[in-house]
Amino acid sequence: SPLLSWSPPSLTGWRRPWIHPSGRLGSPVPPLQQTLNMYLKCTSHLITEEQLKKTKAIVEKFGAPGGMGEFLQKKLLERSEHTANWVYDYWLEDMYLSNRLALPVNSSPVMVFPKQNFRSQSDTLRFAAHLISGVLEYKSLIDGRALPVDYARGQLAGTPLCMDQYNKVFTSYRLPGPKTDTLVAQKSTVMPEPEHIIVACKNQFFVLDVVINFRRLNEKDLYTQLERIRKMSDIEEERLPPIGLLTSDDRTQWAEARSMLIKDSTNRDSIDMIERCLCLVCLDEPSGTELTDTNRALLMLHGGGTDKNGGNRWYDKPMQFVIGADGSCGVVCEHSPFEGIVLVQCTEYLLRYMRGSPSKLVRAASMSELPAPRQLHWKCSADIQTFLTSSADKLQRLVKNLDMNVSKFTGYGKEFIKKQKMSPDAYVQVALQFTFYRCHGCLVPTYESASIRRFQEGRVDNIRSSTPEALAFVKAMDVEKMELLWTAIKAQTNYTILAITGMAIDNHLLGLREIAKELKLEKPELFSDTTYATSIHFILSTSQVPTTEEMFCCYGPVVPNGYGACYNPQTDHIIFCVSSFCDSAETSSDLFVKTLEGCLKEMQDLCTKCNTEAKPADSTKRKDGTTKVMKNGSNVHKCLKNMSHCKC
């Protein structure tokens, strides 16, 4: 079929995208036929022949001249002329705001800091005060537009990236709704109220003003206030129900509970203070567990449940800095306002700041008298108590259900992969496909996030890593595996370039689907077809989150029978954080990690073997600049320019 013979198009000839007043380009709208061809290519090997035949007919009808596809494409192009980013609102609602699942595990990623060695409560509070000082310094850089511009890394490196997401780090809030949430962005006024953070301690919430009488508190003052909060939290008579548990519930349930809470003015005032804070600092009690990498990841993801620190959170706020008395520290991130790289940049700044970077806060003389921090109060009706009981039960089930494995693969790292002239990210993605195939005997729709911050208000699109080329490689046994590995790597790299340049299929298909809904048209058959439902059920959800500091990112699966696989390639090792659910009979994080280590070793052996066989002494130079390599008794003609096999 000509629809299956798709190859990467030239990136020239795009329709001129909308130009933002700042001069940055908005996302392009890919050509319709290109997306439809790629859609079939991405799904053809994941469905049955019978289903493929049906889907081909649906796609051809949708893309026919004068058909529904052309009409919707025209409307998308019109939308792109009048908005900064035609897909942003559609994507935000589809990816996050309309999702009704609970935020912990299902949506909110975490960054796990190096384990700290706190010898006393004073050490913990000093760490917290130092961290808060770093947060205030970082916020001042954002407010003053003094952050250095981010530039793309990896494929097409060097392109400046949109910085809009940083403005939401400390000024946004995810407001729960009965059917869809709202991402609220705070707007400064002429006379803003004093800035404050919320400190959670023993499931209680306290207001810590960080600006008093127009002066930012120094670390000594912050330490004094944190000490006061700690003492206030010890007064058992003042302890109130763990209201934070309500934010761990599914979004519709939490929206209903919140509506009931704010009927009382005391509760309304307390919620208002939390929703307008810069961030949360959660002072956690010791967990009583061995602080392995895996256990620290679990404590960040869900707090350990109601019997540990599960209620010491407020999940709607984008940044929750967790500081455990036992040294388990990190950040819980509400993901709707910004992407992982923004979280990485912020947390790396904080870790460097706390280690004593040149950019230190200038300490002023301490105030002799500081107004005491304020505890937030709640009035809980019988109905609210019922909600709390339900939320606690569901969180406990989530805690018991999460199957997590954080593993450091020490066989090699990105340095070895680069020596093979391969992209480390593409290599790891092919390894993940290889692993899934070994575990389950098939490939499945796979999500890999690709930043499109090259464009104004750009968030992410999806790199569909389960390519036909990857399938050919993982199925190979007694054939030329190295050739197939190169082909799979090249396919993954090509798709990555398409995604980061705004030419992948997922955002485009989403836009076509949503603009039909917006125009109140009947849902096109393309989007009610079983293949489409299968194609967006991402059993394998992956993301590369590299760091330059000693920390790692992790998250939960996005479907009940799936895996979450976050990886952090370093020079001589790779950190993998693999998650799944215990109640799925199809998945096992431990088995996946064990198999992954074996697959990575096999790929290393394959590369080493082929490089050994293709020694310079075994090759002869041709006049056309290529090399004839003698390999296993056969001639392999390898192009020196791009390492791909030519057809000369």
Side-chain angles (χ1 to χ4, degrees):
S1 168
L3 287 174
L4 294 182
S5 60
W6 172 88
S7 60
S10 165
L11 297 183
T12 59
W14 292 350
R15 181 185 174 95
R16 179 177 174 80
W18 185 88
I19 299 179
H20 192 270
S22 68
R24 183 176 297 279
L25 297 176
S27 299
V29 178
L32 178 64
Q33 286 303 323
Q34 174 186 308
T35 291
L36 296 179
N37 291 347
M38 203 190 314
Y39 171 63
L40 283 177
K41 183 177 191 292
C42 289
T43 57
S44 61
H45 57 296
L46 305 177
I47 57 178
T48 64
E49 285 293 329
E50 184 181 353
Q51 183 60 38
L52 177 59
K53 183 178 179 182
K54 177 185 175 185
T55 297
K56 276 186 188 175
I58 291 171
V59 168
E60 286 171 1
K61 179 183 176 183
F62 182 80
M68 177 62 75
E70 281 195 358
F71 174 75
L72 296 176
Q73 176 78 351
K74 179 184 174 185
K75 292 298 181 184
L76 267 191
L77 289 168
E78 289 173 3
R79 177 183 172 87
S80 73
E81 295 286 349
H82 300 99
T83 56
N85 192 307
W86 60 270
V87 76
Y88 175 80
D89 289 334
Y90 293 158
W91 177 91
L92 183 65
E93 182 167 339
D94 182 71
M95 181 67 81
Y96 294 112
L97 304 184
S98 64
N99 191 330
R100 301 290 81 199
L101 292 174
L103 297 186
V105 177
N106 300 301
S107 178
S108 295
V110 302
M111 192 67 73
V112 183
F113 288 175
K115 182 183 177 301
Q116 303 300 311
N117 183 25
F118 299 140
R119 290 165 296 182
S120 65
Q121 182 176 291
S122 295
D123 284 353
T124 308
L125 299 185
R126 268 193 290 272
F127 183 92
H130 201 181
L131 176 68
I132 294 168
S133 283
V135 167
L136 299 179
E137 190 71 8
Y138 194 72
K139 184 178 184 300
S140 71
L141 292 176
I142 295 173
D143 293 345
R145 297 186 179 273
L147 283 179
V149 173
D150 290 344
Y151 287 86
R153 306 172 194 172
Q155 299 298 330
L156 306 184
T159 308
L161 304 179
C162 176
M163 299 291 285
D164 289 351
Q165 293 178 34
Y166 286 94
N167 296 323
K168 299 182 177 74
V169 172
F170 300 114
T171 60
S172 56
Y173 183 82
R174 180 162 168 175
L175 187 68
K179 292 183 179 179
T180 183
D181 291 355
T182 304
L183 181 58
V184 179
Q186 302 285 351
K187 293 184 179 178
S188 61
T189 59
V190 178
M191 288 295 290
E193 292 185 25
E195 293 172 303
H196 66 278
I197 65 170
I198 296 294
V199 177
C201 188
K202 296 188 176 179
N203 300 333
Q204 310 300 296
F205 298 98
F206 302 86
V207 178
L208 171 55
D209 291 319
V210 294
V211 177
I212 297 177
N213 294 333
F214 304 102
R215 185 176 73 78
R216 196 165 85 193
L217 269 59
N218 59 42
E219 284 177 31
K220 185 174 184 299
D221 293 331
L222 291 168
Y223 177 85
T224 298
Q225 298 295 70
L226 290 169
E227 209 169 30
R228 287 176 170 180
I229 287 171
R230 189 79 213 192
K231 287 175 181 174
M232 291 164 70
S233 71
D234 286 336
I235 304 172
E236 292 191 21
E237 309 87 75
E238 296 289 328
R239 284 193 197 157
L240 300 163
I243 295 295
L245 283 174
L246 297 174
T247 70
S248 72
D249 211 328
D250 68 78
R251 303 308 291 171
T252 299
Q253 191 84 347
W254 165 219
E256 188 178 345
R258 183 184 180 278
S259 296
M260 194 166 293
L261 267 176
I262 61 175
K263 290 177 181 176
D264 182 271
S265 61
T266 299
N267 297 337
R268 192 161 57 244
D269 291 344
S270 294
I271 286 180
D272 181 62
M273 290 304 292
I274 296 176
E275 293 179 353
R276 290 189 297 104
C277 74
L278 298 177
C279 62
L280 263 77
V281 171
C282 307
L283 301 176
D284 278 7
E285 296 297 290
S287 64
T289 58
E290 182 188 358
L291 293 183
T292 62
D293 287 349
T294 297
N295 283 342
R296 287 188 296 124
L298 291 170
L299 290 171
M300 291 302 119
L301 283 164
H302 50 52
T306 54
D307 56 338
K308 290 188 173 67
N309 295 289
N312 208 44
R313 303 283 186 273
W314 197 273
Y315 283 101
D316 293 352
K317 200 65 191 168
M319 298 291 274
Q320 295 190 91
F321 297 96
V322 177
I323 303 170
D326 52 11
S328 182
C329 302
V331 187
V332 185
C333 169
E334 199 292 288
H335 209 354
S336 63
F338 48 84
E339 299 309 324
I341 185 60
V342 174
L343 177 63
V344 170
Q345 295 286 70
C346 175
T347 50
E348 290 196 336
Y349 174 91
L350 294 174
L351 289 181
R352 288 194 298 268
Y353 177 91
M354 296 176 73
R355 223 175 30 240
S357 70
S359 178
K360 289 182 179 178
L361 178 67
V362 178
R363 287 164 175 74
S366 178
M367 292 180 179
S368 56
E369 289 294 331
L370 291 171
R374 306 182 300 285
Q375 182 172 359
L376 296 180
H377 293 281
W378 309 96
K379 290 186 179 175
C380 296
S381 63
D383 289 334
I384 295 298
Q385 290 289 357
T386 301
F387 275 117
L388 276 169
T389 301
S390 173
S391 298
D393 289 345
K394 281 187 262 187
L395 180 61
Q396 286 300 93
R397 288 201 295 271
L398 189 62
V399 168
K400 290 179 181 177
N401 196 19
L402 183 58
D403 179 14
M404 190 82 192
N405 185 311
V406 178
S407 174
K408 181 186 285 188
F409 174 74
T410 57
Y412 56 92
K414 62 183 178 183
E415 195 63 33
F416 169 80
I417 302 170
K418 287 180 178 179
K419 284 181 180 177
Q420 314 311 308
K421 309 298 183 187
M422 296 176 179
S423 156
D425 182 69
Y427 184 99
V428 173
Q429 283 292 328
V430 172
L432 290 170
Q433 296 301 314
F434 189 13
T435 302
F436 193 94
Y437 186 84
R438 276 281 169 87
C439 289
H440 301 282
C442 64
L443 294 192
V444 290
T446 301
Y447 182 97
E448 182 194 0
S449 58
S451 171
I452 50 173
R453 283 176 59 207
R454 285 167 171 77
F455 308 107
Q456 182 68 26
E457 295 184 5
R459 292 296 300 267
V460 296
D461 205 338
N462 176 23
I463 304 168
R464 288 184 168 265
S465 305
S466 52
T467 61
E469 293 85 353
L471 180 61
F473 167 66
V474 302
K475 289 173 72 173
M477 289 301 218
D478 299 323
V479 296
E480 285 285 349
K481 290 185 187 178
M482 194 63 194
E483 292 230 18
L484 292 170
L485 174 58
W486 266 110
T487 304
I489 294 283
K490 186 177 179 183
Q492 176 70 18
T493 303
N494 286 343
Y495 204 113
T496 299
I497 292 171
L498 288 173
I500 64 180
T501 53
M503 302 297 277
I505 66 171
D506 284 85
N507 282 354
H508 191 195
L509 290 171
L510 172 66
L512 294 167
R513 187 190 80 193
E514 291 303 302
I515 206 159
K517 186 193 298 183
E518 206 171 85
L519 296 169
K520 296 185 173 18
L521 301 174
E522 184 180 348
K523 181 189 282 190
E525 190 179 6
L526 176 70
F527 302 113
S528 56
D529 180 30
T530 304
T531 297
Y532 182 71
T534 300
S535 76
I536 59 174
H537 185 81
F538 295 113
I539 291 176
L540 192 52
S541 177
T542 71
S543 183
Q544 178 186 210
V545 184
T547 65
T548 59
E549 295 290 325
E550 187 189 340
M551 59 182 180
F552 58 87
C553 179
C554 56
Y555 49 80
V558 298
V559 295
N561 62 332
Y563 292 99
C566 190
Y567 52 98
N568 182 350
Q570 297 295 310
T571 301
D572 59 356
H573 66 274
I574 308 171
I575 299 172
F576 289 98
C577 303
V578 177
S579 61
S580 60
F581 289 120
C582 296
D583 63 7
S584 169
E586 303 169 35
T587 59
S588 165
S589 297
D590 290 347
L591 176 62
F592 192 95
V593 167
K594 184 178 180 182
T595 307
L596 174 60
E597 290 174 347
C599 289
L600 285 166
K601 186 68 171 65
E602 285 186 44
M603 289 171 70
Q604 181 189 32
D605 291 344
L606 177 63
C607 291
T608 304
K609 177 185 175 186
C610 290
N611 286 342
T612 302
E613 288 178 350
K615 291 184 294 189
D618 296 334
S619 60
T620 58
K621 193 84 170 181
R622 294 177 182 265
K623 291 181 181 179
D624 62 1
T626 62
T627 300
K628 185 172 101 174
V629 182
M630 303 303 294
K631 191 173 182 182
N632 295 335
S634 63
N635 294 343
V636 177
H637 189 194
K638 181 177 281 189
C639 177
L640 292 178
K641 292 181 181 178
N642 60 11
M643 299 296 289
S644 62
H645 296 281
C646 63
K647 299 178 181 177
C648 301

